[in-house]
Amino acid sequence: MIILITGASHTGKTALAQRLLEKYKYPYLSIDHLKMGLIRSDNTDLTPLSNDNELTEYLWPIVREMIKTAIENKQNLIVEGCYIPFDWEKDFHKEYLPSIKFYCLVMSENYIRSKFDNIKLFANVIENRLNDSDFTMEKAITENKKISELAKKYQVNCIIIDDNYEINI
């Protein structure tokens, strides 16, 4: 089984992947780790500040082929990150699709407004964010609205975080 987890920044993608790893013993790939490995090794001219579309165009073909390899080898894998395109299904032949589950995490505006201090507090629960000063409430609201609209457009599994932060897959 391949589990894809996407969503806006700070929605808990990495924390969810870690919980699934602990529960099911499935390994997970952080696309952010892949991104930073490629950037730090000078295998790309992209930077951590490159726009998300450029990063997705560069990273997704690599991740996509890793997913295919895992399926062909009957291996489980959790892939998490914001660089998974919402039209990901078009990149797989139909025989691969039953092995892939896609989840999109979205925080409601109400949740962000009422829990923003907690969102910031838990930002480093799994990974260390070196500089998080540009993450504002308004940015969080804007990014989550954008992700929500894409999820509706592509009719994907969307987990709305509105009241309490409880996610069960």
Side-chain angles (χ1 to χ4, degrees), residues 125-169:
V125 72
I126 300 294
E127 56 190 4
N128 231 353
R129 297 176 189 271
L130 299 178
N131 182 0
D132 206 24
S133 61
D134 66 333
F135 183 71
T136 64
M137 184 184 303
E138 289 309 314
K139 182 175 183 178
I141 291 168
T142 300
E143 286 181 0
N144 277 272
K145 279 183 181 177
K146 177 184 169 191
I147 296 297
S148 179
E149 289 168 6
L150 287 167
K152 286 177 188 168
K153 176 181 177 181
Y154 290 97
Q155 301 176 2
V156 298
N157 289 328
C158 195
I159 299 170
I160 306 295
I161 303 156
D162 187 42
D163 191 23
N164 293 319
Y165 195 99
E166 291 183 28
I167 298 175
N168 294 312
I169 292 181

Side-chain angles (χ1 to χ4, degrees), residues 2-8 13 17 29-32 34 52-53 55-61 63-64 67 77-92 100-105 147 150-151 154 156:
I2 306 299
I3 300 172
L4 304 178
I5 304 169
T6 196
K13 300 177 296 293
L29 168 69
S30 166
I31 301 176
D32 278 336
L34 176 61
D52 285 353
N53 289 335
L55 288 163
T56 300
E57 287 176 18
Y58 184 76
L59 295 166
W60 178 245
V63 172
R64 176 191 69 217
I67 291 167
L77 181 63
I78 301 162
V79 178
E80 65 87 10
C82 60
Y83 308 110
I84 301 170
F86 281 87
D87 61 349
W88 63 270
E89 286 185 8
K90 72 174 177 42
D91 293 328
F92 295 91
I100 304 171
K101 301 293 181 201
F102 178 89
Y103 299 94
C104 177
L105 305 182
I147 296 297
L150 287 167
Y154 290 97
V156 298

Side-chain angles (χ1 to χ4, degrees), residues 36-93:
M36 292 310 299
L38 291 164
I39 290 169
R40 288 180 170 176
S41 65
D42 294 323
N43 280 295
T44 180
D45 293 330
L46 297 171
T47 73
L49 301 176
S50 296
N51 78 48
D52 285 353
N53 289 335
E54 287 178 306
L55 288 163
T56 300
E57 287 176 18
Y58 184 76
L59 295 166
W60 178 245
I62 298 165
V63 172
R64 176 191 69 217
E65 297 308 314
M66 292 171 73
I67 291 167
K68 289 177 183 176
T69 301
I71 292 170
E72 291 160 0
N73 287 297
K74 298 179 178 28
Q75 296 170 316
N76 300 310
L77 181 63
I78 301 162
V79 178
E80 65 87 10
C82 60
Y83 308 110
I84 301 170
F86 281 87
D87 61 349
W88 63 270
E89 286 185 8
K90 72 174 177 42
D91 293 328
F92 295 91
H93 292 289

